[in-house]
Structure formats: C-alpha cells, structure tokens
Amino acid sequence: MPKFINIVRVKVKPSHREQYLRKIDDRPKFDGMISAKYVETKPNEFFMVGEWNTEEDIARARPKMIEFLDSLRGTLEELSPELGVTDPHSGSIVIEK
C-alpha cells in the first residue's frame, strides 16, 4: 500500500510569525503521521509536508488537524476568498527515491 502525503500552504501574519512557529514546534505529530516538515518558501509563507502510512491514517487524524488549524487561524492571513487561510493538497506517493 503506498504512503500518502498532504501538503498545505499558509501565509502567516508578520506580527504572528513567532507565535505560529512556536505552536507548530510544540505540537506533536498526529497519530498515523510518519513525519511533518515545514518549509518557508517566501517571507512568512510556509508549506507543511506531512507523510502518512496510509490515506486512512490522515482521514482518522483530520478532526484533530482541523482542531489544531482552528488554534492557528488568528496567526494566518487569508490566501483568497475561495481558499480561506489554507491551500491544501494530498495524494499517494507514486515515486519515492
């Protein structure tokens, strides 16, 4: 069974950068998560890449992930009216080297 990845883009309010990073760093991995990596691609724009054993693991963790996102909402800027504060994507790994 292939591993599963989720990728989420957020933009952090400059005045809340340290608060955001502290909350992210303090949060343990979700159950079923192999790893989580946070990449800053532009000032205050981050991509989180989560690796999961299965799609079912991320589905089970989704309520806790939403709860955690709710605790971060005050630190995030709206990306667009359509997206809100996150731009999430997910799928199965097709090639891993």
Side-chain angles (χ1 to χ4, degrees), residues 1 4 8-9 17 23-24 36 38 42 57 80 86 95:
M1 185 174 293
F4 201 75
V8 181
R9 178 174 64 102
R17 178 189 170 86
K23 281 186 170 227
I24 292 294
Y38 292 83
K42 298 177 186 173
D57 285 333
S80 75
T86 65
I95 297 173

Side-chain angles (χ1 to χ4, degrees), residues 6-18:
N6 75 310
I7 303 163
V8 181
R9 178 174 64 102
V10 300
K11 185 153 177 127
V12 177
K13 296 174 183 173
S15 60
H16 289 78
R17 178 189 170 86
E18 293 308 313

Side-chain angles (χ1 to χ4, degrees), residues 42-83:
K42 298 177 186 173
N44 299 312
E45 182 177 82
F46 296 88
F47 283 78
M48 186 285 290
V49 180
E51 184 176 11
W52 304 80
N53 286 310
T54 66
E55 186 174 0
E56 290 76 24
D57 285 333
I58 191 173
R60 278 191 294 276
R62 196 163 282 122
K64 291 285 185 189
M65 292 167 55
I66 292 168
E67 182 180 308
F68 184 58
L69 172 61
D70 287 343
S71 77
L72 293 172
R73 283 188 194 280
T75 67
L76 303 177
E77 292 184 2
E78 183 179 77
L79 298 172
S80 75
E82 296 80 26
L83 290 173

Side-chain angles (χ1 to χ4, degrees), residues 5 29 88:
I5 294 286
K29 289 188 300 187

